[in-house]
Amino acid sequence: MKALGFYELRAEALPVAREALDKLNKRAVKNGLEAITLRVLDTRTAEHQRVGEAPEVVTWVTVSIEGIAPKLGDWQFAATLEHTEAGTLLRTAPTFGKPLPLQYRSATAYCEHCESRRRRTDTYLVHSETEGRYAQVGSNCLADFTGHRNPHTALYWLQSWAELNADLRYREGHDEDAASSAQRKFTPAMILLAAALITTEQGGFVSRGESIRRVVRSTASQVIDLLWPDASTTVRWNADDVTISCREKVTVLPLTTEVRQLATDALNWALDLPTNGSDYEHNVRTTCNLAALSYEHIGIATSALGGYLRTLTVEASGPSSYVGTVGNRIQLDVKVERVTILGPGFAYNSPDRALYILTQGANRMVWFSDAGKLREGQKVTLKATVKSHDDYRGAAQTTLTRCTII
């Protein structure tokens, strides 16, 4: 089983999440697919306060969703390509670990099998290990293209996972009355970033990875909680404030000059991300270009704020310098800024590989190793060999190898 995602739910929402998962699994088993499982990792109780309301004691449950993706003969699902007015979002399958070819970032809704381009929200990217190539196919052509007698069962697995992922992301911070994933709420990126700034005034920006490590609520979850307390919520905004109407309660959040300026700067930072950067950077830039975002986009949109704030921190601490001498063994104290799972290693049944981005003050280092050794936000002491001194977007970057955690 591979961990497909981690979530932080209110305890009241856990039975509802299990019920939704059971419904998906009944259909999955009927189609001959592996069931998706939910595992509780941690439970904690903490005081929680929504804006404009009295504090309450809430029990939070951290869970992981685990499963095995089906294959289509020699073909494997690589990603769903979501075609939007701002560009194509790359939703890499949770069980596919390779970077996607750059050309699919600008892919139109085209099917390579029937050679047609028509109005589609999604197309699917599949990969063949034997042929060493990718193909973009519409859902109706999967059977003919892959030669698999019933590829729609595998497509169903992928769509079911996406549906469950969206539903659980929405339920983060909501109780059993939370709306289903089919209910869409739309908000401009600017308002989402302003709401993220308001939530960070207390405890700073918290990524999803850091929320699992520290057992605290992520900024994305707090934004959902702030803007959409329940299914009946409506959100209106203007240049001065955001009005949140929930049943008979109305909350007005002032947009101060500082909040508006920081949100604007974060949005501009996202829109200026390089076109040849990572898939993550491409998705951030494309998402923030959308005229209106739904809660499915909240995680990637609010992460733009985290990226911009990290940039400010780096700029304040000065330029990055190389660490150590190439070939030498060194000991150093570092902070884990980001962990990116790259997919399976080269040996049979080997663990997933990960890219660890480490910092020591303004200095940036990277380490490629097995996944699960370090977590985002963790501070550790390493003994390492300096493999090389490189450049990353014009800044000094040190690549480490043979690292030992002390």
Side-chain angles (χ1 to χ4, degrees):
M1 288 283 185
K2 181 180 178 69
L4 306 176
F6 299 91
Y7 309 86
E8 184 190 27
L9 310 175
R10 292 173 69 118
E12 310 95 277
L14 185 58
V16 185
R18 289 190 187 277
E19 182 180 350
L21 184 61
D22 288 343
K23 288 181 180 178
L24 291 176
N25 281 334
K26 284 180 182 178
R27 285 181 285 170
V29 171
K30 187 180 296 185
N31 284 288
L33 301 175
E34 291 280 348
I36 300 173
T37 62
L38 181 150
R39 185 158 61 97
V40 175
L41 302 178
D42 184 81
T43 302
R44 68 183 178 91
T45 301
E47 188 175 88
H48 174 55
Q49 184 173 12
R50 287 173 171 162
V51 174
E53 297 186 8
E56 60 175 333
V57 176
V58 175
T59 300
W60 302 101
V61 181
T62 303
V63 303
S64 68
I65 300 296
E66 301 171 355
I68 300 174
K71 284 191 134 186
L72 307 174
D74 183 49
W75 294 91
Q76 179 185 7
F77 273 116
T80 300
L81 306 183
E82 180 186 347
H83 305 285
T84 74
E85 75 275 10
T88 300
L89 291 170
L90 308 178
R91 302 194 180 279
T92 304
T95 51
F96 189 78
K98 299 180 178 63
L100 302 177
L102 293 179
Q103 67 262 30
Y104 292 107
R105 297 181 182 185
S106 56
T108 57
Y110 178 76
C111 173
E112 293 182 24
H113 180 70
C114 65
E115 299 183 345
S116 67
R117 183 179 287 104
R118 56 189 175 86
R119 194 180 186 88
R120 296 181 176 98
T121 301
D122 298 327
T123 55
Y124 300 92
L125 196 62
V126 291
H127 178 259
S128 169
E129 287 286 355
T130 303
E131 298 184 28
R133 72 181 183 98
Y134 292 86
Q136 180 185 351
V137 187
S139 61
N140 292 333
C141 291
L142 280 168
D144 292 339
F145 182 81
T146 62
H148 194 271
R149 62 183 181 84
N150 194 6
H152 290 279
T153 59
L155 177 58
Y156 165 78
W157 186 96
L158 190 69
Q159 293 171 332
S160 295
W161 156 245
E163 176 186 335
L164 179 64
N165 179 61
D167 191 61
L168 290 176
R169 287 292 179 225
Y170 185 82
R171 292 183 190 281
E172 288 186 311
H174 293 75
D175 56 23
E176 67 275 10
D177 294 326
S180 72
S181 61
Q183 193 161 1
R184 299 170 67 86
K185 307 283 188 177
F186 295 100
T187 309
M190 181 66 147
I191 299 302
L192 283 182
L193 290 170
L197 279 165
I198 292 171
T199 66
T200 59
E201 290 177 351
Q202 297 296 323
F205 183 85
V206 181
S207 68
R208 291 202 185 277
E210 189 177 4
S211 72
I212 300 299
R213 183 187 68 82
R214 290 170 47 193
V215 200
V216 296
R217 306 202 62 229
S218 69
T219 296
S221 297
Q222 294 180 64
V223 168
I224 294 175
D225 196 21
L226 177 63
L227 293 181
W228 298 299
D230 70 14
S232 66
T233 306
T234 58
V235 181
R236 296 187 302 277
W237 55 87
N238 55 45
D240 299 316
D241 54 52
V242 178
T243 301
I244 303 166
S245 303
C246 180
R247 297 177 185 175
E248 297 180 358
K249 184 176 180 60
V250 177
T251 302
V252 179
L253 303 175
L255 296 179
T256 65
T257 302
E258 182 182 10
V259 166
R260 286 201 305 270
Q261 186 61 56
L262 270 173
T264 299
D265 291 344
L267 181 59
N268 289 335
W269 175 87
L271 297 179
D272 288 340
L273 286 171
T275 56
N276 61 346
S278 66
D279 288 348
Y280 163 76
E281 291 170 325
H282 164 78
N283 283 340
V284 169
R285 190 183 68 256
T286 303
T287 298
C288 288
N289 256 311
L290 291 170
L293 286 71
S294 68
Y295 62 79
E296 293 101 327
H297 301 124
I298 286 179
I300 193 73
T302 55
S303 72
L305 175 62
Y308 175 65
L309 294 177
R310 282 194 300 272
T311 299
L312 293 182
T313 301
V314 170
E315 290 177 351
S317 59
S320 176
S321 300
Y322 294 125
V323 176
T325 302
V326 174
N328 283 6
R329 191 82 173 155
I330 59 174
Q331 179 173 316
L332 65 168
D333 298 321
V334 299
K335 179 182 178 182
V336 184
E337 292 292 343
R338 184 178 298 174
V339 179
T340 302
I341 305 301
L342 303 177
F346 298 107
Y348 173 74
N349 206 27
S350 63
D352 283 351
R353 301 286 290 174
L355 167 64
Y356 298 100
I357 299 176
L358 316 169
T359 57
Q360 184 187 55
N363 300 331
R364 174 188 170 100
M365 291 148 283
V366 294
W367 174 34
F368 294 88
S369 189
D370 293 341
K373 289 189 174 182
L374 299 172
R375 306 188 77 168
E376 287 183 6
Q378 187 178 358
K379 295 181 179 179
V380 296
T381 301
L382 295 178
K383 278 189 176 179
T385 299
V386 179
K387 182 178 181 180
S388 62
H389 287 157
D390 310 298
D391 287 330
Y392 177 76
R393 295 181 187 163
Q397 175 174 283
T398 302
T399 300
L400 305 177
T401 188
R402 297 176 57 215
C403 294
T404 302
I405 303 168
I406 300 176

